[in-house]
Amino acid sequence: MPYTDTHISIPPQLPEILKQYTKGAIRTQPPDLLQWSADYFTAVARGDIPPGRERTERTPLSNWADLTPEILKVLHQRVGGRLIVHADELAHLWKVLNLPIDLFESVMNVGHFTEEVEWLKFLALSSSSLGVNITKTLKIICEVLSNDDSGPARIPFSTFQFLYTYIAEVDGEISLSHVNRMLNYIEQEIIGPDGLIKVNDFTRNPQVKLE
C-alpha cells in the first residue's frame, strides 16, 4: 500500500496537558501508574484537583486522620487566601486530607453554611473542635493564619476582632459587652503601629480574659 504523507494536526493544549501529567507522575511516584493515570485524567476532565502524593500515601478510608493544627494549616494553604470557598471544593479538600466526614458535616451545620462558605468562619469552627476554650481556639487560628515563621504567630488585629466576635457569638455564653470590652482594651493598650496581635498578647496578659 503506497505511503501517503498526511498532515497530522496536534491540539494546541496537548503539550501543556502532557507536561502537567508528567510532572504529577514524577512527583507522586504512584505504585500503579496506569490506575493513577486513569484517576488523573478523570479528575482533570471533571475539573477536580488531580491525585497527588497525599492520595497515594494516605491510610485506608476506614482509618480517618486526626484533625490537627498542622493539617488545618495545610488546608488553609490550599484555599490560597480566598475568603469564599465553594462547599463542594472544600469537601473535596477535606476528603483528600482523609479527615472525618462527620466532623466536616458538623462544622457545616453549626456554621449554617450552604454552597458558598466563608473560609475564616469555617476555619474558626474547625479550630474550635481542637480548642478546649475560646483562648485556645484563637491561639490555634493565629498559628494557622500567621505568615511569620521566624517569630511568634501574629495576625492583623482586624482579623482577630472578627474571629473573636464570631466564635463568642456561636458559643453563646460570652456577652457582647464583654467581647467589646476586651477588644477595646487590646486595641488601645496592646496593639502597636503595625496593627498586628501576637498569641502572647491574649494568652499571657493577665488583663485579657477572653472567656
Side-chain angles (χ1 to χ4, degrees):
M1 183 175 181
Y3 170 77
T4 303
D5 186 10
T6 304
H7 177 69
I8 299 176
S9 177
I10 299 176
Q13 308 96 324
L14 183 60
E16 181 62 23
I17 290 174
L18 293 178
K19 176 182 175 182
Q20 295 303 322
Y21 161 75
T22 303
K23 287 169 61 177
I26 292 173
R27 284 196 303 265
T28 305
Q29 295 291 308
D32 186 339
L33 181 59
L34 289 178
Q35 182 59 53
W36 182 88
S37 300
D39 294 340
Y40 178 91
F41 285 110
T42 298
V44 170
R46 292 176 177 173
D48 295 338
I49 299 175
R53 182 175 292 275
E54 67 275 2
R55 287 191 180 180
T56 58
E57 291 184 352
R58 68 185 186 183
T59 56
L61 292 178
S62 59
N63 298 322
W64 298 110
D66 291 329
L67 183 65
T68 64
E70 292 75 21
I71 289 181
L72 280 176
K73 196 169 186 71
V74 171
L75 194 60
H76 176 63
Q77 291 169 345
R78 296 189 181 186
V79 168
R82 287 172 291 166
L83 297 179
I84 303 295
V85 186
H86 198 280
D88 289 343
E89 180 185 356
L90 199 52
H92 178 73
L93 292 173
W94 193 271
K95 183 178 180 180
V96 166
L97 292 172
N98 201 31
L99 296 170
I101 298 300
D102 58 345
L103 177 56
F104 176 82
E105 293 174 348
S106 176
V107 172
M108 292 291 290
N109 290 332
V110 172
H112 303 290
F113 301 123
T114 53
E115 292 184 0
E116 294 187 337
V117 180
E118 292 186 60
W119 169 243
L120 287 181
K121 289 184 177 182
F122 185 91
L123 175 63
L125 295 180
S126 299
S127 299
S128 69
S129 68
L130 304 176
V132 295
N133 53 41
I134 288 182
T135 301
K136 176 65 174 177
T137 297
L138 285 166
K139 177 178 181 292
I140 292 171
I141 299 173
C142 284
E143 291 170 346
V144 170
L145 295 178
S146 179
N147 293 321
D148 190 352
D149 296 330
S150 60
R154 63 191 74 193
I155 62 173
F157 174 70
S158 58
T159 303
F160 177 88
Q161 184 177 29
F162 171 80
L163 292 166
Y164 178 34
T165 302
Y166 175 68
I167 295 172
E169 179 184 351
V170 173
D171 181 77
E173 297 185 1
I174 303 173
S175 67
L176 181 60
S177 61
H178 178 79
V179 171
N180 289 334
R181 186 163 60 251
M182 288 297 99
L183 289 173
N184 287 335
Y185 174 82
I186 292 172
E187 185 173 22
Q188 295 173 12
E189 303 295 334
I190 298 177
I191 303 302
D194 60 2
L196 300 176
I197 182 171
K198 300 186 293 293
V199 167
N200 289 348
D201 291 338
F202 61 89
T203 59
R204 297 189 178 182
N205 188 322
Q207 300 301 319
V208 178
K209 298 180 181 178
L210 300 182
E211 275 80 31

